[in-house]
Amino acid sequence: MQIAIDGPAGAGKSTIAKRLAKESGYIYVDTGAMYRAMALYLIRCGISAEDKEGIEKACEDADISIQYIDGEQNVVLNGENVNSLIRTREVSAMASSSSVNGKVREKLVSLQQKLASSNDVVMDGRDIGTKVLPEAEVKIYLTASTKVRAKRRFDELRAKGEACDMEAIENEIKERDHRDMTREISPLVQAKDAVLVDTSDMDIDTVVDRIKEIVKSKVKA
Ligand code: DC
């Protein structure tokens, strides 16, 4: 069973996908975390997002894998669990910039497909329904207005004690959306057979219920 959830940053993908996976006994695969681990490697090596050759060489040197600890996905970069290091704004921006690179995508898509070949999965990202799991039984395109998504990110960062500015966050989100939606390889688009869910005015329980309904109707069909 494959449930693919795509959408822009801050739409609520990971919160929803995690809940859904837990309730169905499937594994949750957060593909953004893999792009983030790759981005962390590039930042640590001082490789810029424009350095195509450097990034392609880094793809050979960065070993990225996934481990499940108490049901939680952990990303391992060259033997180091980097889960707690990949949620910064710097890593977000680098993940978006470096994910335009074909070699980066090839490497991570193959890891994602391998995970889905031996497990029932709820997988979220930008190209899951269109590229990674084109045959997924259920495809959801989760979105929300830019303002709502920026507010969610703002609250998240504030809760972590990170100083932040609402307007700057909204601009970063717009920039990231634009890059993710207009890149040449596997841009973020709604798959033809994906169901659109706009979470702007929904709380988490309502979104989960709505998606469970969609899953039920797809499975029945
Ligand atoms: O979902 P996220 O915010 O953790 O993703 C970080 C970046 O990684 C996102 O801006 C674009 C890239 N990404 C991607 O290109 N394809 C995916 N399937 C997941 C993430």
Side-chain angles (χ1 to χ4, degrees):
M1 181 72 180
Q2 300 177 339
I3 301 177
I5 304 182
D6 288 302
K13 297 186 299 295
S14 62
T15 311
I16 304 302
K18 246 185 232 170
R19 276 264 304 260
L20 207 61
K22 200 166 185 189
E23 290 182 23
S24 5
Y26 301 168
I27 63 163
Y28 165 51
V29 183
D30 170 3
T31 63
M34 301 176 189
Y35 289 92
R36 286 171 180 275
M38 189 66 215
L40 179 66
Y41 183 78
L42 297 173
I43 293 168
R44 283 177 168 177
C45 295
I47 299 169
S48 84
E50 288 72 42
D51 181 359
K52 188 166 181 282
E53 239 173 63
I55 293 180
E56 291 180 355
K57 166 83 177 54
C59 282
E60 291 164 22
D61 301 336
D63 179 47
I64 295 171
S65 61
I66 293 299
Q67 260 180 21
Y68 286 89
I69 303 171
D70 296 331
E72 280 280 313
Q73 172 184 296
N74 282 258
V75 195
V76 180
L77 169 64
N78 290 338
E80 176 191 357
N81 185 334
V82 293
N83 245 35
S84 60
L85 306 173
I86 56 174
R87 301 283 157 200
T88 64
R89 289 160 78 186
E90 186 189 13
V91 171
S92 299
M94 181 54 126
S96 174
S97 305
S98 56
S99 65
V100 305
N101 185 289
K103 273 258 158 58
V104 171
R105 304 205 68 82
E106 221 174 84
K107 175 187 172 81
L108 299 180
V109 166
S110 120
L111 171 61
Q112 293 153 17
Q113 290 175 332
K114 212 183 278 166
L115 282 165
S117 69
S118 47
N119 299 280
D120 289 325
V121 292
V122 180
M123 189 179 284
D124 76 10
R126 304 291 187 287
D127 58 344
I128 311 307
T130 52
K131 165 80 186 172
V132 183
L133 306 175
E135 306 299 331
E137 284 85 351
V138 182
K139 295 183 188 179
I140 310 282
Y141 189 86
L142 207 64
T143 190
S145 71
T146 318
K147 282 244 168 323
V148 167
R149 292 188 285 122
K151 173 77 170 55
R152 288 176 187 163
R153 274 282 183 267
F154 178 81
D155 291 344
E156 239 173 62
L157 290 167
R158 278 273 293 267
K160 282 199 288 186
E162 261 187 62
C164 52
D165 169 77
M166 185 72 167
E167 204 181 318
I169 290 180
E170 193 173 340
N171 287 334
E172 280 170 14
I173 282 195
K174 281 185 185 158
E175 219 175 277
R176 202 137 75 89
D177 283 356
H178 178 73
R179 210 183 292 120
D180 295 346
M181 290 172 175
T182 58
R183 68 177 174 228
E184 217 170 286
I185 312 169
S186 307
L188 168 65
V189 286
Q190 182 181 343
K192 279 195 200 81
D193 47 351
V195 180
L196 175 74
V197 178
D198 186 329
T199 69
S200 302
D201 301 314
M202 289 170 143
D203 63 17
I204 294 170
D205 287 338
T206 314
V207 181
V208 172
D209 287 347
R210 171 79 189 106
I211 293 184
K212 279 201 250 154
E213 262 170 38
I214 298 168
V215 173
K216 224 189 247 170
S217 74
K218 290 277 176 188
V219 170
K220 237 190 227 164

